[in-house]
């Protein structure tokens, strides 16, 4: 899990620069991941337990072999790519995604960027109506494809065609699992799988929410990750 290890290296360096002299062990942090990002957050917690004490996993699909969610034809394609070298697999999938990348890059933010690549479905219409959310998601997707589909291809392959590189049962941190009841991609069955797999975890379902459950659940995520925030100003007492 290169992404998780990169985050850990960055956190360690930041803590080293900020730590008082004589303090060797960096304080722990909370980490959250939405959709495929939840897997990265869990990998971070499993591989670097000394750095994290709380994890929030939001709308994250379970492994397909445990909770089926990938169409058989796509899983077959993924299995074929998994038998190639990493560079060749990424090159082939990048070529397959080039049309999607072109569509996103050419889209006008004013008229709307197609968000189906993010798992957005009609059930998310109410959430998208929130001020600025559709625009932010569109900008995020355009940025993801700014240098081509290579990064997206690598993410997909790491999720579906390669071993994850960690065991969710190794996560020691307190973990909150959130999913939308109406999510067609990663609903109740996925959240329940993670709850069973992660020792210190609890599951919360959001009624009526789809894959964009991250928006209505964001306040809950923040309150879980920082249950006792530091005061912004010294009270003087």
């Amino acid at each position: 899990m290169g992404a998780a290890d990169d985050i850990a290296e960055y956190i360690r360096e930041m803590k080293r620069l900020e730590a008082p002299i004589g303090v060797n062990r960096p304080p722990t942090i909370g980490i959250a991941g939405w959709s495929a990002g939840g897997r990265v957050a869990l990998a971070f917690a499993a591989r670097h337990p000394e750095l994290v004490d709380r994890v929030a996993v939001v709308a994250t699909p379970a492994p397909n072999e445990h909770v089926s969610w990938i169409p058989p034809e796509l899983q077959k394609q993924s299995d074929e790519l998994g038998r190639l070298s990493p560079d060749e697999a990424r090159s082939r999938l990048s070529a397959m995604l080039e049309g999607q990348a072109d569509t996103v890059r050419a889209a006008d933010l004013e008229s709307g960027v197609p968000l189906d690549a993010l798992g957005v479905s009609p059930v998310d219409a109410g959430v998208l109506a929130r001020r600025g959310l559709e625009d932010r998601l569109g900008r995020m997707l355009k940025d993801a494809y700014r240098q081509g589909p290579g990064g997206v291809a690598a993410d997909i392959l790491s999720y579906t065609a390669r071993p994850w590189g960690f065991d969710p049962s190794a996560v020691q941190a307190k973990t909150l699992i959130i999913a939308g009841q109406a999510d067609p991609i990663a609903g109740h069955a996925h959240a329940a799988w993670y709850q069973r797999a992660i020792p210190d975890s609890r599951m919360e379902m959001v009624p009526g929410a789809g894959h964009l459950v991250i928006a209505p659940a964001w306040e809950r995520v923040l309150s879980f990750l920082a249950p006792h925030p530091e005061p912004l100003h010294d009270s003087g007492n």
Side-chain angles (χ1 to χ4, degrees):
M1 282 301 300
D5 293 343
D6 288 346
I7 295 170
E9 182 179 354
Y10 173 81
I11 294 297
R12 286 195 178 94
E13 181 62 15
M14 291 299 98
K15 296 298 185 183
R16 184 188 68 80
L17 293 175
E18 296 173 359
I21 296 175
V23 176
N24 295 320
R25 182 175 178 179
T28 54
I29 64 169
I31 186 169
W34 168 57
S35 196
R39 175 185 55 108
V40 178
L42 289 173
F44 177 86
R47 294 167 66 91
H48 307 279
E50 74 283 1
L51 293 179
V52 60
D53 61 356
R54 289 177 179 250
V55 184
V57 179
V58 185
T60 297
N64 190 59
E65 62 268 25
H66 293 289
V67 182
S68 179
W69 62 281
I70 301 175
E73 64 276 11
L74 293 183
Q75 186 57 54
K76 180 181 177 182
Q77 183 182 82
S78 179
D79 292 340
E80 292 171 353
L81 290 170
R83 290 191 283 269
L84 303 175
S85 69
D87 286 344
E88 185 176 2
R90 179 176 175 177
S91 177
R92 289 197 186 185
L93 185 55
S94 294
M96 297 176 193
L97 294 173
E98 195 62 58
Q100 184 181 79
D102 288 343
T103 298
V104 170
R105 286 193 297 247
D108 184 347
L109 285 170
E110 293 297 323
S111 57
V113 176
L115 300 178
D116 52 305
L118 298 177
V120 175
S121 67
V123 75
D124 295 303
V127 173
L128 281 176
R130 295 184 176 209
R131 182 178 178 181
L133 180 58
E134 185 170 5
D135 180 73
R136 293 198 300 274
L137 290 173
R139 292 179 186 277
M140 180 182 75
L141 194 57
K142 287 178 74 70
D143 284 344
Y145 280 120
R146 190 173 300 279
Q147 294 181 323
V152 175
D155 281 350
I156 293 173
L157 289 169
S158 71
Y159 209 107
T160 65
R162 300 285 176 184
W164 282 12
F166 75 99
D167 185 344
S169 67
V171 175
Q172 302 172 21
K174 186 182 293 292
T175 302
L176 174 65
I177 303 151
I178 295 179
Q181 287 280 17
D183 187 348
I185 296 176
H188 183 274
H190 297 265
W193 183 86
Y194 281 111
Q195 184 183 35
R196 292 191 299 270
I198 301 168
D200 188 5
S201 64
R202 65 171 294 166
M203 177 179 72
E204 296 181 6
M205 301 299 300
V206 180
H211 203 57
L212 291 184
V213 65
I214 184 67
W218 188 236
E219 184 174 350
R220 170 66 178 123
V221 169
L222 293 181
S223 68
F224 170 77
L225 294 179
H228 304 293
E230 294 293 329
L232 293 178
H233 302 288
D234 187 347
S235 65
N237 296 327

